[in-house]
């Protein structure tokens, strides 16, 4: 007869802040009584860094993966060796989220080369005959809001063939004039990125206008540092030959987990950028890049 | 047997109940009691309930008709709820809230759906392109924050299954396409039911992606309808799911706020929104977000309010104007459903639409049209459903000023026929009607090459059919409109438009104008038999005319009306039109008519209906046809010109020979005619009128045999016989009655009534009793024997094959006894003026009386024989009741001073009481009656009888 083990956190959204108490229950469901040699709970917060093969080479990436940085760890025995009665048993627990020393609880972030993850693991040790039971559950940590008042930093932009860099044959480019603005480049992570874009004129029909959200992850290591930019998501804001001189809204929600407040530490950095990408019907691709600074307010 | 002498006059007086004038009191069993009750008690609410005051009036002679002008219970409820007591505070608040909502006067989307699907079709091949699993790595990993580990692995497995399940279905016919979409709808529901939420979302995203594809553009509106159905399903599923998450401990009220929603539900809802926000492509993201608009209620109070304007702006990013306008229509539709009070966004949608209007004539569109070989007018009509809908939402209960502003902004745009059309469709009819002349001007200014003008006039006509333009402008409007309509070349387009304008014409003008319109229609529809493809529209024209012209003399005096009718050459359609004409005639013709124009035309119409009857016609159809024709016949009256009327009936008989009910009606009409003649002549016919009534009798006599229903024949023979008798046509009456008697043996033992076989016995007994009472006044034929009709009837009864084991024959015998008793009186109970009955013919001749007595004896003998055979156990009960009815007959009609008769009566009484089956109450009352009778001077002998009758208690 199998028993099941589950961890249920009190908060539905599983979001906690430094200094708060992580509370919940360990739920054991079994038809019969379960004999065990102790149930333990382990809470851990880790930053995993990985070097991209692109910046340091395949082998280095494989061997040189940087040691994970532990942010917080805690272990308690919930129940001593004994028997859990049949039926549904709930054992409440609490972990205070306090760091040791000058460590900071970074915000949960799932990236490519940088991963900041907080987990809670419950283990039930059993006799040799029965398999040990284990259950892991991730919980989110959000940074405390920034104290300083955020000043919006609107950015206006104009894109014409002349403003472009990185062009091979400027003379082959069709004529176009695209104007727009972002309401702010220092964004609150819970609020969308907003702005407007106007196609004033374009010789060639527009095929699509997209917003590309990019993460820039930097990892320090013995050989220096590796800096990689990868796409998080691509949101189309215009499809087809849009009406000229009519403002099109720029709007993008920052995805949870994949974004976090811009982070800069001794060992690694996580930054974000947005690209406004305009695809013309003749497959010309025009990109305008804007670095963002994300924060939590 | 000796019958006792009767003095009918004095008997009537002594027996009659005390005469009391019958008052029509408030009470009637069929009437609802509450009405009058509540009125008298709650004086304060007087007049609020209903107006059924007729109950107390003494004038209303017919309780049923007085019922009718009262209010029936259903409408009473309606009236009661409409006139509720003054609204309390909470009610008035509720009402204010209601004002923001959508009322019943808002035409719902569901009614447009079918129309769009039927209208926008294609024969070209379609394709569906689905990329299931193409978004792998985004949606599932996003979901991971909320879904548990197990679900995640399961979802991943699922993805693997569908990895690369990208498939493109090419060369689909329209029906295939519809089926595919329906399959997707089903798989969406299945996925949802089996907890595969991500798969469900993927299906929805893929479906909405199809909306960005404008290949086979003629089909786009239909595609929109099909796919938004799926989106609706999805929106509903998600909403219900989240709603059910908050149903613990009790379900959320309909008017819940975000505060009442628990965290888990909120988190789930939030998750959906994050997932949607990461959809890569604009159009699926937009549609799915609109579909889930209602879910914003779970998160914040003003979520919807903030989202709708954002979505409105987001649509600006859609380059293709057709795709954009339908996206707007969808947003407006969901917006109206979810938050009808957010008018600003609706308006914004419309003004954005105006802003991008020039796109329609832009290069990209033109190139696409050339590529797809679609003409501009066809292309423009594709916009109509969406723009109609948007305008309908915007203009719903909108203030006049806003409508005017929108009009002005539409006017400013060039090439605005498309908008103009939608404005006329969607705005209030009154608004359009008052500006009809302006609209005509604008329509004329429109580019000929763009939106078809006849559609514009059609839309205008539709509005004018519901609301009236200023009186002075009406004729110019009609002239202007018709000038354009008559130039429309395609018969189908022409009739679609003309049909609409017929209503306006009928509504405001006389037969002259309508006639002109009709002749124009005939002119357009006759070449190449174009009318064959336009029957529905032509029928609608007739219907509209009939709605406004109830005076049939005016209707048929329109020269072109009958030629118009001639265009209906398909039988079923023709009959349908005839039916509707007759229907209106019967409903609205108040006075009988003799107008030859009406008669000729309607006879023609009825003949068409009649001729449609064939072997395959259903009984019900025949019945309804006959009902209409009968209604017509009843409305024909030539006043005092009776001969003309009769010849009409002759003609009608020839015309409608296949419908039995019509023949019956004709016989009734002719009989009525004869009686009317008698009334006019005050009972004494001149030579001429006598000949006429004989002609009437002859008419009936030769018509009745053609009926198949045996009871119709019998009853009509009897009735016509009575009419003939009343008109002093003795030999005709004899002939009718003889015919009736001779038909009797043909009565089958069972007849079919409403499709079920029933025994005919009851009907036959009824008829015979009726017949017997008529025979009292029929004088004997000088050449035939005494009482030859009575004898003839009784012989027939004797020979008739009655049902086995039935007492019917004996019942007839018993009921013949009162007739014979009545015949032996010196003066008869009733007689017919100017007709000598047997009383005068025989003058109480003893031989005649003896003949009657002999007949009575034979009958009684027969009855007694029958009683004997009933002696066996199982029929004892019947024996008792038969004996008792014979006893009753003897008591009432026999002269009990006669010893033999007296003894017989006593014996019968004892026989009926022997077995104790008789009803004691009846027996007691009979005894009381005898006691009462015995008090009269010449009935003393009854008291002796009384002593010999003993009551047997049932012990």
């Amino acid at each position: 007869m199998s028993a099941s083990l589950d961890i249920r956190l009190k908060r539905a959204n599983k979001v906690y802040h430094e200094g708060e108490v992580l509370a919940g229950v360990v739920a054991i469901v079994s038809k019969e009584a379960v004999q065990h040699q102790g149930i333990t709970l382990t809470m851990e917060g880790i930053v995993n860094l990985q070097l991209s093969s692109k910046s340091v080479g395949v082998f280095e990436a494989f061997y040189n993966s940087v040691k994970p940085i532990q942010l917080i760890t805690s272990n308690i025995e919930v129940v001593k060796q004994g028997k859990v009665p049949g039926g549904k048993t709930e054992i409440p627990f609490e972990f205070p989220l306090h760091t040791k020393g000058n460590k900071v609880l970074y915000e949960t972030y799932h990236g490519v080369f940088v991963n900041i993850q907080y987990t809670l693991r419950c283990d039930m040790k059993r006799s040799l005959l029965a398999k040990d039971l284990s259950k892991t559950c991730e919980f989110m940590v959000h940074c405390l809001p920034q104290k300083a008042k955020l000043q919006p930093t609107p950015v206006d932009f104009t894109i014409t063939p002349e403003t472009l860099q990185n062009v091979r044959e400027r003379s082959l480019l069709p004529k176009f004039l695209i104007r727009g603005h972002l309401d702010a480049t220092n964004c609150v992570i819970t609020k969308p990125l907003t702005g407007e874009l106007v196609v004033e004129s374009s010789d060639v029909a527009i095929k699509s206008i997209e917003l590309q959200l990019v993460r820039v992850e930097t990892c320090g290591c013995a050989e220096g540092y590796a800096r990689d930019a990868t796409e998080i998501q691509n949101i189309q804001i215009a499809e087809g030959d849009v009406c000229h001189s009519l403002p099109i809204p720029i709007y993008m929600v920052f995805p949870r987990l994949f974004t976090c407040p811009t982070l800069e530490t001794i060992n690694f950095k996580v930054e974000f950028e947005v690209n406004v990408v305009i695809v013309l019907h003749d497959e010309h691709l025009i990109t305008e890049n804007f670095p963002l600074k994300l924060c939590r307010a | 047997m000796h019958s006792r002498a009767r003095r009918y006059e004095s008997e009537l007086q002594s027996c009659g109940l005390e005469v009391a004038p019958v008052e029509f009191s408030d009470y009637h069993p069929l009437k609802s009691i509450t009405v009058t009750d509540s009125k008298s008690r709650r004086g304060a609410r007087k007049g609020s309930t209903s107006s059924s005051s007729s109950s107390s009036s003494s004038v209303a002679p017919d309780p049923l008709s007085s019922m009718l002008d009262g209010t029936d219970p259903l409408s009473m409820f309606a009236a009661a709820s409409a006139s509720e007591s003054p609204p309390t505070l909470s009610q008035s608040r509720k009402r204010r809230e209601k004002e923001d909502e959508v009322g019943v006067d808002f035409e719902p989307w569901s009614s447009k759906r079918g129309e769009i699907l039927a209208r926008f079709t294609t024969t070209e091949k379609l394709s569906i392109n689905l990329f299931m699993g193409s978004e792998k790595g985004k949606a599932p990993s996003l979901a991971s924050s909320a879904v548990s580990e197990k679900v995640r692995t399961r979802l991943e497995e699922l993805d693997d299954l569908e990895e690369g399940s990208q498939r493109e279905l090419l060369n689909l016919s329209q029906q295939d396409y519809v089926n595919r979409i329906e399959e997707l709808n089903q798989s969406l529901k299945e996925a949802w039911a089996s907890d595969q939420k991500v798969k469900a979302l993927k299906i929805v995203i893929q479906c909405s992606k199809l909306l960005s594809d404008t290949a086979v553009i003629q089909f786009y509106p239909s595609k929109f309808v099909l796919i938004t159905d799926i989106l609706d399903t999805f929106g509903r599923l998600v909403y219900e799911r989240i709603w059910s998450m908050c149903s613990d401990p009790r379900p959320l009220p309909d008017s819940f706020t975000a505060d009442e929603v628990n965290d888990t539900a909120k988190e789930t809802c939030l998750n959906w929104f994050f997932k949607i926000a990461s959809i890569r492509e604009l159009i699926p993201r937009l549609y799915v977000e609109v579909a889930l608009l209602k879910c914003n209620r779970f998160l914040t109070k003003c979520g919807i309010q903030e989202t709708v304007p954002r979505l409105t702006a987001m649509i600006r990013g859609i380059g293709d104007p057709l795709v954009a306008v339908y996206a707007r229509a969808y947003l407006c539709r969901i917006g109206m459903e979810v938050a009808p009070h957010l008018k600003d966004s609706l308006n914004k949608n419309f003004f954005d639409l105006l802003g991008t209007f020039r796109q329609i004539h832009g290069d990209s569109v033109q190139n696409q049209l050339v590529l797809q070989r679609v003409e501009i007018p066809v292309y423009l009509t594709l916009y109509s459903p969406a723009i109609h809908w948007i305008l309908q939402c915007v203009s719903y209960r909108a203030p006049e000023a806003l409508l005017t502003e929108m009009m002005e902004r539409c006017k400013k745009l060039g090439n605005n026929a498309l908008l103009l059309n939608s404005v006329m469709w969607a705005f209030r009819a009154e608004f359009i009607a008052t500006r009809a002349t302006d609209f005509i001007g604008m329509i004329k200014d429109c580019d000929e090459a763009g939106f078809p003008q006849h559609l514009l006039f059609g839309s205008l006509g539709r509005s004018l059919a519901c609301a009236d333009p200023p009186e002075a402008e009406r004729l110019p409007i009609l002239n202007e409109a018709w000038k354009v309509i008559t130039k429309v070349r395609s018969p189908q387009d022409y009739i679609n438009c003309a049909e609409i304008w017929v209503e306006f014409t009928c509504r405001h003008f006389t037969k002259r104008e309508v006639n002109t319109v009709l002749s124009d229609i005939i002119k357009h529809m006759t070449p190449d038999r174009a009318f064959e493809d336009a029957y529905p529209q032509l029928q609608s024209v007739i219907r509209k005319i009939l709605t406004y012209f109830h005076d049939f003399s005016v209707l048929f005096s329109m020269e072109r009306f009958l030629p118009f009718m001639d265009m209906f050459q398909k039988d079923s359609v023709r009959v349908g039109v005839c039916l509707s004409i007759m229907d209106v005639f019967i409903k609205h013709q108040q006075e009988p008519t003799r107008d030859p124009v009406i008669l000729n035309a309607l006879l023609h119409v009825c003949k068409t209906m009649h001729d449609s009857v064939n072997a395959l016609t259903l009984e019900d159809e025949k019945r309804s046809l006959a009902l209409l024709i009968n209604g017509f016949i009843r409305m024909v009256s030539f006043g005092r010109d009776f001969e003309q009327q009769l010849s009409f009936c002759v003609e009608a008989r020839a015309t409608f020979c296949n419908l039995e009910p019509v023949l019956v009606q004709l016989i009734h009409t002719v009989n009525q005619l004869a009686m009317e003649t008698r009334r006019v002549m005050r009972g004494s016919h001149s030579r001429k009128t006598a000949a006429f009534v004989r002609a009437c009798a002859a008419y009936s006599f030769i018509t009745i045999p053609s009926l198949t229903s045996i009871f119709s024949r019998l009853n009509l023979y009897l009735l016509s016989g009575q009419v003939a008798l009343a008109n002093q046509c003795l030999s005709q009456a004899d002939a009718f009655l003889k015919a009736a008697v001779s038909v009797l043996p043909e009565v089958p033992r069972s007849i079919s009534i409403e499709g079920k076989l029933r025994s005919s016995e009851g009907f036959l007994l009824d008829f015979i009793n009726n017949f017997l009472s008529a025979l009292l006044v029929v004088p004997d034929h000088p050449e035939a024997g005494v009482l030859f009709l009575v004898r003839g009837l009784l012989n027939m009864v004797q020979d008739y094959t009655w049902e086995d084991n039935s007492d019917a024959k004996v019942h007839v015998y018993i009921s013949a006894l009162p007739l014979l008793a009545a015949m032996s009186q010196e003066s008869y109970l009733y007689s017919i003026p100017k007709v000598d009955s047997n009383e005068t013919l025989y003058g109480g001749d003893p031989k005649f009386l003896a003949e009657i007595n002999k007949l009575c004896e034979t009958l009684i003998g027969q009855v007694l024989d029958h009683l004997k055979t009933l002696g066996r156990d199982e029929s004892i009960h019947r024996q008792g009741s038969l004996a008792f009815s014979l006893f009753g007959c003897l008591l009432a009609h026999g002269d009990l001073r006669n010893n033999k008769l007296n003894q017989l009566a006593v014996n019968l009484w004892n026989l009926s009481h022997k077995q104790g089956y008789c009803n004691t109450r009846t027996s007691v009352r009979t005894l009381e009656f005898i006691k009462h009778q015995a008090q009269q001077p010449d009935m003393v002998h009854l008291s002796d009888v009384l002593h010999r009758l003993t009551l047997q208690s049932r012990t």
Side-chain angles (χ1 to χ4, degrees), chain B residues 264-400:
Chain B
T264 325
K266 269 187 183 156
E267 188 58 26
T268 313
C269 189
L270 209 56
N271 248 313
W272 277 113
F273 283 122
F274 272 108
K275 265 180 235 176
I276 297 166
S278 69
I279 297 174
R280 204 192 90 83
E281 279 160 280
L282 172 66
I283 289 168
R285 189 169 67 242
L286 176 78
Y287 271 100
V288 178
E289 198 165 346
V290 175
L292 295 194
L293 186 60
K294 198 176 176 189
C295 294
N296 274 298
R297 286 183 69 191
F298 293 111
L299 291 181
T300 51
K301 193 167 164 241
C302 47
I304 296 176
Q305 211 170 322
E306 287 161 3
T307 311
V308 176
R310 180 170 62 77
L311 293 174
T312 306
M314 198 164 145
I315 297 177
R316 291 179 171 189
I318 302 178
D320 189 306
L322 188 68
V323 178
V325 81
Y326 274 93
R328 285 188 198 287
Y330 187 58
L331 178 58
C332 286
R333 171 151 81 82
I334 302 295
M336 276 307 264
E337 258 170 52
V338 175
H341 53 281
L342 297 176
K343 301 266 192 249
D344 284 348
S345 295
L346 295 174
N347 299 348
K348 184 84 177 61
N349 255 307
F350 178 66
F351 293 135
D352 265 4
L353 169 70
L354 295 185
T356 55
F357 202 72
R358 57 177 188 273
Q359 289 272 93
I360 294 176
H361 301 281
D363 288 341
S364 337
V365 171
Q366 300 299 335
N367 293 340
Q368 200 185 2
L369 293 186
V370 171
L371 215 62
Q372 293 202 28
R373 289 192 216 99
V374 175
E375 306 261 317
I376 281 277
V378 176
Y379 175 70
L380 289 179
T381 51
L382 298 178
Y383 283 84
S384 297
I387 301 186
H388 284 351
W389 181 260
I390 295 171
L391 276 169
Q392 187 188 332
C393 293
V394 170
S395 67
Y396 180 66
R397 293 192 184 166
E400 191 89 4

Side-chain angles (χ1 to χ4, degrees), chain B residues 769-934:
Chain B
N769 285 339
N770 204 352
F771 194 81
L772 285 173
S773 56
L775 282 183
L776 177 64
V777 289
V778 181
D780 278 345
H781 195 277
E783 282 160 23
V786 178
L787 299 179
F788 80 101
L789 273 174
V790 181
R791 281 169 200 277
L793 176 70
L794 291 176
N795 285 336
M796 283 301 177
V797 170
Q798 170 83 31
D799 296 341
Y800 183 73
T801 43
W802 294 94
E803 267 174 66
D804 304 332
N805 225 346
S806 135
D807 301 328
K809 183 158 77 174
V810 182
H811 278 299
V812 174
Y813 289 160
I814 295 176
S815 43
L817 289 174
L819 169 71
L820 292 169
M823 279 182 153
S824 58
Q825 303 298 322
E826 268 176 43
S827 71
Y828 283 1
L829 180 55
Y830 44 85
S831 61
I832 294 172
K834 305 213 189 260
V835 174
D836 293 330
S837 316
N838 285 339
E839 58 175 330
T840 10
L841 290 186
Y842 296 114
D845 187 337
K847 266 193 207 157
F848 174 64
L849 294 181
E851 198 70 32
I852 290 179
N853 284 345
K854 221 169 88 196
L855 202 52
C856 289
E857 264 160 44
T858 323
L859 289 179
I860 294 175
Q862 290 273 341
V863 176
L864 292 179
D865 284 349
H866 185 73
L867 284 179
K868 259 179 228 156
T869 64
L870 289 179
R872 273 164 293 126
D873 284 344
E874 65 272 24
S875 46
I876 288 281
H877 183 64
R878 280 159 56 201
Q879 189 192 39
S881 73
L882 268 182
F884 194 77
S885 53
L886 183 56
F887 168 78
C889 183
L890 293 184
L891 181 67
H893 304 286
D895 185 357
L896 293 187
R897 278 172 301 198
N898 179 312
N899 280 337
K900 230 167 106 196
L901 211 54
N902 195 325
Q903 187 56 45
L904 178 63
V906 174
N907 288 345
L908 284 170
W909 172 272
N910 291 337
L911 181 63
S912 64
H913 284 72
K914 197 169 74 185
Q915 306 300 337
Y917 282 120
C918 60
N919 187 342
T920 325
R921 244 180 90 194
T922 323
S923 306
V924 171
R925 291 182 67 176
T926 314
L927 288 179
E928 272 169 17
F929 169 74
I930 300 174
K931 212 185 275 172
H932 178 77
Q933 286 286 65

Side-chain angles (χ1 to χ4, degrees), chain A residues 11-14 110 135-136 138 140 196 205 208 210 231-249 251-258, chain B residues 138 141-142 144-146 148-149 152 212 263-264 267 270-271 274 277-283 285 289 310 313-320 352 355-356 358-359 364:
Chain A
R11 289 187 189 168
N13 60 3
K14 299 183 181 176
H110 292 196
K135 173 81 188 175
T136 314
E138 185 180 359
M140 280 24 105
E196 268 185 350
S208 174
E210 286 151 28
E231 177 186 299
I232 302 176
Q233 68 176 12
N234 195 347
I235 297 288
Q236 189 186 35
I237 56 163
E239 153 144 353
D241 193 13
V242 289
C243 195
H244 290 185
S245 61
L246 186 78
I248 296 163
Y251 182 91
M252 179 167 66
V253 176
F254 293 110
R256 296 191 293 191
L257 296 175
F258 302 102
Chain B
K138 276 183 195 160
S141 55
L142 244 182
S144 65
S145 63
S148 68
E149 204 73 22
R152 190 192 333 188
S212 54
D263 284 349
T264 325
E267 188 58 26
L270 209 56
N271 248 313
F274 272 108
S278 69
I279 297 174
R280 204 192 90 83
E281 279 160 280
L282 172 66
I283 289 168
R285 189 169 67 242
E289 198 165 346
R310 180 170 62 77
M314 198 164 145
I315 297 177
R316 291 179 171 189
I318 302 178
D320 189 306
D352 265 4
T356 55
R358 57 177 188 273
Q359 289 272 93
S364 337

